[in-house]
Amino acid sequence: MADKKTILTYAGLKKLEDELENLKVVKRKEVAGKIKEAREQGDLSENAEYDAAKDEQRDIEARIEELEKILKNAEVVVEDEVDLDKISIGCTVTVYDNEFEEEMEFKIVGSTEANSLEGKISNESPVGKALLGKKVDDVVEVETQAGVMEYKVLKIERSI
């Protein structure tokens, strides 16, 4: 089975590349130093520092492998080329929530970059899926755990 394409914005790609670089260059060296120090303490069978360092090393290597896989299968959305006539990945959308009578802003991103605290929602989330392809003045109904939400699309912009 082929690996699933990972959709990223350019900012998301850069963030993952920076994390990978940091893990390979800085964190690997730090953990190797911790392992060396722990070995010098003698008996490894009851050495908590050694066990902790080995666990950290395993976690770092797993994250490096995960990041390399994501980046290998990445499809970057060029935000300057996003069509602003309809909602797509890489754009910022302003909607009006009819129930709470308030405006909300979402940036539509790939699932890897999603972060609801930053207003970044995944194209695979219920709201993201419902908004994709919609135009200004469209009314969108979204089935969520809290019930059906209704949003009116007010504005579609390029993400900065």
Side-chain angles (χ1 to χ4, degrees):
M1 186 174 102
D3 289 329
K4 182 180 153 201
K5 280 278 181 214
T6 305
I7 299 172
L8 295 169
T9 60
Y10 181 74
L13 176 71
K14 181 86 177 99
K15 186 177 174 187
L16 292 178
E17 287 174 340
D18 290 347
E19 181 184 353
L20 180 62
E21 180 74 11
N22 180 51
L23 287 172
K24 284 182 166 182
V25 176
V26 178
K27 293 293 185 185
R28 270 184 176 163
K29 219 176 266 181
E30 284 177 8
V31 171
K34 289 178 185 177
I35 291 171
K36 184 175 183 264
E37 270 181 43
R39 274 197 184 123
E40 290 169 356
Q41 293 175 9
D43 184 15
L44 298 180
S45 65
E46 294 181 20
N47 189 327
E49 286 89 7
Y50 180 77
D51 292 340
K54 290 300 276 183
D55 287 345
E56 187 178 352
Q57 182 182 42
R58 186 189 63 243
D59 293 345
I60 287 170
E61 293 305 321
R63 181 64 179 157
I64 287 171
E65 189 178 320
E66 179 185 6
L67 287 171
E68 286 176 338
K69 186 176 177 186
I70 288 169
L71 293 171
K72 186 179 110 192
N73 296 299
E75 187 175 304
V76 180
V77 173
V78 181
E79 292 165 336
D80 292 344
E81 297 172 9
V82 169
D83 177 9
L84 296 178
D85 291 337
K86 62 182 191 287
I87 298 170
S88 60
I89 297 169
C91 65
T92 300
V93 184
T94 305
V95 298
Y96 182 78
D97 182 328
N98 289 332
E99 183 180 346
F100 293 101
E101 298 180 351
E102 66 180 356
E103 284 188 17
M104 300 168 73
E105 190 174 272
F106 299 119
K107 179 174 180 182
I108 311 293
V109 296
S111 59
T112 308
E113 291 177 76
N115 183 337
S116 59
L117 298 176
E118 295 175 7
K120 295 178 178 180
I121 62 169
S122 165
N123 62 314
E124 297 173 9
S125 70
V127 174
K129 239 186 248 183
L131 288 172
L132 285 178
K134 300 298 186 260
K135 298 178 181 189
V136 172
D137 292 331
D138 282 357
V139 174
V140 181
E141 286 189 355
V142 183
E143 185 73 42
T144 67
Q145 292 173 330
V148 177
M149 306 294 286
E150 195 174 90
Y151 300 114
K152 180 176 182 175
V153 180
L154 302 177
K155 189 165 50 173
I156 303 170
E157 304 172 290
R158 274 195 178 83
S159 295
I160 299 167

